[in-house]
Amino acid sequence: MAGVITLERILALQAAYIRCIDHNELEAWPEFFLDPCLYKVTTAENHKLGYQSGIIYADTKGMLIDRVAALRQANIYEKQNYRHILGLSDIVKNDGGEAKSETPFMVVRIMHDGRSDIFATGLYLDTIRATGSDLKFVQRIVVCDSSRIDTLMALPL
Amino acid sequence: MAGVITLERILALQAAYIRCIDHNELEAWPEFFLDPCLYKVTTAENHKLGYQSGIIYADTKGMLIDRVAALRQANIYEKQNYRHILGLSDIVKNDGGEAKSETPFMVVRIMHDGRSDIFATGLYLDTIRATGSDLKFVQRIVVCDSSRIDTLMALPL
Amino acid sequence: MAGVITLERILALQAAYIRCIDHNELEAWPEFFLDPCLYKVTTAENHKLGYQSGIIYADTKGMLIDRVAALRQANIYEKQNYRHILGLSDIVKNDGGEAKSETPFMVVRIMHDGRSDIFATGLYLDTIRATGSDLKFVQRIVVCDSSRIDTLMALPL
């Protein structure tokens, strides 16, 4: 019995997702997605133009797992952390078992030497499904406001 | 039957308001206000001193509509977008049909070339009324923390 | 009858706390804590290493009151204000009368000349108790993401 999707449950999912990344527990990150799925990072401009590709594109859970493995093995030249601050989720559509929502986000990046800057702002466009006792992402499209996004992006958004 | 004002409805109103601006659907922006109304952008310093005027001042819906028309026709030298991130609304007073609330905000401005900066932070001081099935602003005073606010402000806050 | 702790009450506590600081009503700030208490500001790095000391450390309400008195008497060379923006609180543990929660925060600092910058981001690690009709902090550990935190910190976080 998967229960119905409510705003409260969506907010809890969003909070758990950013906690996972901001606490650098990336190995748990693919678990937020169904398989197959769609995880895409794109820009507002390209999203508006209907471009299918993105800065990051993954459509299976395996691709998400690979991505984390690559991050862990790669030489990240400068250590960094994210701090996500989210706005309230707006439920665009909800049939109880599946919902579409939009959530504004801002990510501050903290470099190893202590510098902080606004790394990205934008909107999460999500399709969420209730499975078992959990909510999972069928689809998360991360639409970044700025076209000047670091393509070497070390951590997922 | 207009129903009563609840925190949940106020949060939904705030979310819809910022979505309207951040999605650049400015023609819908005046619809968030009653007529007559008060929409004022001011600074914390001037607000504290009790100054009535503001950087922006409108007290009819017509003035809000004119403002959008001017923005659309004007030469905006550099294209830009806003991303609002809001804190939780605090209901200061609520008699069910009309409420006063305070909501902290931060606005990141994204320039056309991709630069992002903190454009403004502050507090929305709102008087909200339940009309029909909607909540509308009787009054929205935008109190900006900084005295250094761009007076050419292209988009509403 | 102290009632039970709910997410709604925790969010209201968080909102009241930041309002107190951002409105510069510092004399009311110690009232958010029980006596004895723990108020500590530290960095993510030091917190991870288990260091007990912090940039700021107070374990009685008297120490918090002293701190405010010192701030009011000190020559703050440059006047400044904070604007806190909080993420959703995550309740880690809750037995009804006492709860542990984590709340992401970002603080923008607005200098007297109008400059704004990201002063700090991080996580509030709280232990909260229901006393009388209020919730109070037994413990608030402010874990700043950056190691480069201004040790002259004029205002509490």
Side-chain angles (χ1 to χ4, degrees):
Chain A
M1 167 65 187
V4 293
I5 302 179
T6 59
L7 176 59
E8 201 181 340
R9 293 184 75 193
I10 290 180
L11 294 178
L13 172 70
Q14 304 287 355
Y17 180 94
I18 64 168
R19 200 167 51 246
C20 167
I21 295 173
D22 294 357
H23 283 205
N24 199 5
E25 296 167 354
L26 299 185
E27 282 70 17
W29 171 65
E31 295 308 316
F32 286 93
F33 294 86
L34 286 174
D35 189 16
C37 60
L38 177 63
Y39 173 76
K40 189 167 94 168
V41 179
T42 187
T43 64
E45 208 175 336
N46 286 351
H47 183 70
K48 213 172 171 180
L49 294 170
Y51 291 174
Q52 288 307 307
S53 63
I55 299 164
I56 299 178
Y57 186 100
D59 57 13
T60 65
K61 214 162 143 176
M63 287 175 75
L64 299 174
I65 293 169
D66 285 354
R67 188 165 174 86
V68 173
L71 286 175
R72 291 301 193 201
Q73 287 156 20
N75 288 312
I76 308 292
Y77 293 111
E78 200 174 357
K79 245 187 93 183
Q80 53 188 263
N81 269 94
Y82 285 171
R83 175 64 56 196
H84 286 72
I85 302 281
L86 304 186
L88 205 65
S89 299
D90 176 49
I91 302 177
V92 178
K93 203 180 148 181
N94 189 0
D95 70 13
E98 191 168 298
K100 284 179 183 299
S101 70
E102 296 185 8
T103 307
F105 69 85
M106 181 176 60
V107 178
V108 174
R109 181 169 59 170
I110 301 100
M111 304 308 281
H112 191 54
D113 68 0
R115 275 174 302 132
S116 295
D117 59 3
I118 297 175
F119 179 64
T121 62
L123 212 50
Y124 288 130
L125 304 183
D126 298 321
T127 306
I128 294 166
R129 198 176 296 160
T131 64
S133 61
D134 286 332
L135 299 189
K136 304 262 189 194
F137 292 112
V138 178
Q139 192 171 301
R140 157 153 284 196
I141 302 178
V142 184
V143 182
C144 297
D145 292 323
S146 172
S147 53
R148 195 198 267 185
I149 195 81
D150 193 339
T151 53
L152 289 172
M153 211 180 292
L155 298 167
L157 284 174
Chain B
M1 166 64 188
V4 293
I5 302 179
T6 59
L7 176 59
E8 200 180 341
R9 292 184 75 193
I10 289 179
L11 294 177
L13 172 69
Q14 304 287 354
Y17 180 94
I18 64 169
R19 198 167 53 245
C20 167
I21 295 173
D22 294 356
H23 282 205
N24 199 6
E25 296 167 355
L26 299 184
E27 282 69 17
W29 172 65
E31 296 307 315
F32 285 93
F33 294 85
L34 285 175
D35 191 14
C37 61
L38 176 63
Y39 173 75
K40 187 166 96 168
V41 179
T42 186
T43 64
E45 209 175 334
N46 286 350
H47 183 70
K48 214 173 171 179
L49 294 170
Y51 292 173
Q52 289 306 308
S53 64
I55 299 163
I56 300 179
Y57 187 100
D59 57 13
T60 64
K61 213 163 146 176
M63 285 174 76
L64 299 174
I65 293 169
D66 284 354
R67 186 164 175 87
V68 173
L71 285 174
R72 292 301 192 199
Q73 287 157 20
N75 286 313
I76 307 292
Y77 293 111
E78 201 173 357
K79 242 186 95 181
Q80 53 189 261
N81 270 93
Y82 284 171
R83 175 63 57 196
H84 287 72
I85 302 282
L86 304 185
L88 205 65
S89 299
D90 176 47
I91 303 178
V92 178
K93 204 179 149 181
N94 189 358
D95 69 14
E98 190 168 299
K100 283 179 184 298
S101 70
E102 297 186 7
T103 307
F105 69 85
M106 182 176 59
V107 177
V108 175
R109 181 169 60 169
I110 301 99
M111 304 308 281
H112 191 54
D113 68 0
R115 275 174 300 132
S116 296
D117 59 4
I118 298 175
F119 179 64
T121 61
L123 212 50
Y124 288 130
L125 304 184
D126 297 322
T127 305
I128 294 165
R129 197 176 295 159
T131 63
S133 61
D134 286 332
L135 299 189
K136 303 262 187 192
F137 292 112
V138 178
Q139 192 171 300
R140 158 152 282 195
I141 302 179
V142 185
V143 182
C144 297
D145 291 323
S146 172
S147 53
R148 194 198 268 183
I149 194 81
D150 193 340
T151 52
L152 287 173
M153 210 179 294
L155 299 167
L157 285 173
Chain C
M1 166 66 188
V4 293
I5 302 180
T6 59
L7 176 60
E8 200 181 340
R9 292 185 74 194
I10 290 179
L11 294 177
L13 172 70
Q14 305 287 355
Y17 180 94
I18 65 169
R19 199 166 54 244
C20 167
I21 296 172
D22 294 357
H23 283 205
N24 199 6
E25 297 166 353
L26 299 184
E27 282 69 17
W29 172 64
E31 295 307 316
F32 285 94
F33 294 85
L34 285 174
D35 190 17
C37 60
L38 177 62
Y39 174 75
K40 189 166 95 167
V41 179
T42 187
T43 64
E45 209 174 335
N46 286 351
H47 183 71
K48 214 172 171 178
L49 295 170
Y51 292 173
Q52 288 307 307
S53 64
I55 299 164
I56 299 178
Y57 187 99
D59 57 12
T60 64
K61 213 163 145 177
M63 286 175 75
L64 299 174
I65 294 170
D66 284 354
R67 189 167 173 85
V68 172
L71 286 174
R72 291 303 193 198
Q73 287 156 21
N75 287 312
I76 307 293
Y77 293 111
E78 201 173 358
K79 244 186 92 181
Q80 52 188 263
N81 269 93
Y82 284 171
R83 175 63 58 196
H84 286 74
I85 302 282
L86 304 186
L88 205 64
S89 299
D90 176 49
I91 302 178
V92 177
K93 204 180 149 182
N94 189 358
D95 69 14
E98 191 167 299
K100 284 180 184 299
S101 70
E102 296 185 7
T103 307
F105 69 85
M106 182 177 59
V107 177
V108 175
R109 181 169 58 170
I110 302 99
M111 305 308 281
H112 191 55
D113 68 358
R115 274 175 301 132
S116 296
D117 58 5
I118 296 176
F119 179 64
T121 62
L123 211 50
Y124 288 130
L125 304 184
D126 297 322
T127 306
I128 294 165
R129 197 175 296 158
T131 64
S133 61
D134 287 332
L135 298 189
K136 303 262 187 192
F137 292 112
V138 178
Q139 193 171 300
R140 156 152 285 195
I141 302 178
V142 184
V143 182
C144 297
D145 291 322
S146 172
S147 54
R148 194 198 268 184
I149 194 82
D150 193 340
T151 53
L152 288 172
M153 211 180 292
L155 298 167
L157 283 173

